[in-house]
Amino acid sequence: MNLNRRTLLKLSAASATLAAPGFIGTASARTRTVTVASLFGDDKPETKIWVKIGELVEAKLPGRFKFNIVKSGALGGEKEVAEGVRLGSVQASLSTVSSLTGWVPELQILDLPFLFRDADHVRKVVSGDTGAGLKDKLAAQQFVVGDFINYGARHLLTKEPVTRPDQLKGKKIRVIQSPLHTKLWSAFGTIPVGIPITETYNALATGVADAMDLTKSAYTGFKLYEVVPNMTETGHIWASGVIYYARGFWNQLDADEKAALSEASREGALYFNQLIVEDETASVQTALAKGGKLLKPEAFEDWQKGAQGVWQDFAGIVGGADKINAVRNVA
């Protein structure tokens, strides 16, 4: 065979390629695509956290994971995404605990109105025995929790100014599809309507709903100041959430992969919580510039009194009155 320089170079390249498959093929086989659902775009904490987690995991285990972040609610609202996780079509996401209570009713202890003093109080509770128990219950329902996160406090959003609870009577209010949220707003004489978050803007714009409650960050993220310009700072519920993975996906991982994702999730949760604080400040400024208004609630004791019945109704579900008091008194 006549071997010229070009032929030799081709053979050398081929030899190098053939020598490499053991490494390249193994790396390729071990690369796992993680389809992640995010409700928002690149600029919001809900997406930034997954970029952060991806970077942390890549630094720990180069080439083992590829994070495919599907943004802007393209895979549906929290309930639809949770179903996708259970079915295995989605490998990871974030969710408010409210949207997972259909599978784990005990999560509603984190949604009890006016139970938590501040974000630090919430963090201590989810980092202790209460959080550990809830993680176990979620895992039994196909959701493996990387860590808890805090979306901030929920506030009342209305078309017309509302500062006292009696002004809500007869209004249609969009609620998370959760019995606790339905009970809470029914106590104030409203008509609760369960609507996925991704459909909320149109529902408010067309009169299907007159009001809702949401965090400051999400209020601006969904541009709701255009349809419900009044935000009354009730801070009635601290919106806890979780970073979670599909159990079917998780069970396929080896010990090193699980450890890397767990560590990245814990660090990601702290990053997310700080991003939310910063994003809330920016979100309020944006909403005010776009015509939104911030209102202070009046007769605050009436707001609290109206919510107290929720504690009684859900005590048996979340672990009893003693459990609620123990959470309330965490120092």
Side-chain angles (χ1 to χ4, degrees), residues 308-329:
Q308 287 303 306
V310 177
W311 289 25
Q312 298 171 9
D313 288 350
F314 285 83
I317 296 172
V318 303
D322 290 345
K323 175 72 171 177
I324 295 172
N325 287 328
V327 167
R328 185 182 190 185
N329 295 325

Side-chain angles (χ1 to χ4, degrees), residues 12-77:
S12 296
S15 297
T17 302
L18 289 171
F23 173 78
I24 294 175
T26 301
S28 177
R30 294 300 299 273
T31 299
R32 301 180 186 276
T33 298
V34 187
T35 298
V36 180
S38 173
L39 289 177
F40 296 102
D42 292 314
D43 62 327
K44 300 300 281 186
E46 287 81 356
T47 297
K48 287 182 177 181
I49 183 177
W50 287 108
V51 175
K52 180 73 169 179
I53 289 173
E55 292 171 348
L56 291 168
V57 172
E58 178 64 19
K60 191 80 171 178
L61 297 175
R64 297 279 278 275
F65 292 95
K66 176 185 177 183
F67 285 79
N68 173 33
I69 306 170
V70 183
K71 296 166 283 191
S72 302
L75 295 178

Side-chain angles (χ1 to χ4, degrees), residues 27-232:
S28 177
R30 294 300 299 273
T31 299
R32 301 180 186 276
T33 298
V34 187
T35 298
V36 180
S38 173
L39 289 177
F40 296 102
D42 292 314
D43 62 327
K44 300 300 281 186
E46 287 81 356
T47 297
K48 287 182 177 181
I49 183 177
W50 287 108
V51 175
K52 180 73 169 179
I53 289 173
E55 292 171 348
L56 291 168
V57 172
E58 178 64 19
K60 191 80 171 178
L61 297 175
R64 297 279 278 275
F65 292 95
K66 176 185 177 183
F67 285 79
N68 173 33
I69 306 170
V70 183
K71 296 166 283 191
S72 302
L75 295 178
E78 290 181 329
K79 280 282 184 73
E80 292 85 356
V81 169
E83 291 285 7
V85 166
R86 283 168 58 83
L87 292 172
S89 59
V90 180
Q91 282 76 59
S93 190
L94 309 180
S95 179
T96 57
V97 297
S98 304
S99 291
L100 301 177
T101 57
W103 293 284
V104 181
E106 293 87 348
L107 283 167
Q108 291 172 109
I109 194 165
L110 301 179
D111 265 354
L112 289 177
F114 303 109
L115 176 62
F116 295 98
R117 299 181 297 275
D118 51 31
D120 185 57
H121 184 190
V122 177
R123 188 65 191 171
K124 287 177 179 177
V125 170
V126 298
S127 299
D129 292 342
T130 297
L134 293 173
K135 284 183 179 181
D136 289 343
K137 291 183 182 298
L138 282 162
Q141 294 296 325
Q142 312 300 318
F143 306 110
V144 175
V145 175
D147 204 350
F148 286 90
I149 52 177
N150 192 329
Y151 288 91
R154 300 181 75 91
H155 305 281
L156 178 65
L157 312 175
T158 56
K159 293 182 179 180
E160 303 297 330
V162 170
T163 56
R164 300 187 311 276
D166 60 271
Q167 295 172 316
L168 280 173
K169 187 169 293 188
K171 293 188 181 297
K172 294 172 290 185
I173 186 166
R174 177 268 174 181
V175 296
I176 289 176
Q177 293 159 299
S178 150
L180 185 147
H181 285 252
T182 299
K183 173 66 178 179
L184 170 62
W185 293 109
S186 294
F188 294 119
T190 68
I191 303 167
V193 184
I195 301 170
I197 189 65
T198 49
E199 300 173 21
T200 298
Y201 185 102
N202 286 338
L204 291 163
T206 58
V208 173
D210 306 309
M212 66 178 294
D213 70 332
L214 201 60
T215 62
K216 291 177 178 178
S217 180
Y219 174 55
T220 298
F222 286 112
K223 297 183 179 181
L224 292 171
Y225 46 77
E226 296 177 351
V227 286
V228 277
N230 299 285
M231 173 182 283
T232 306

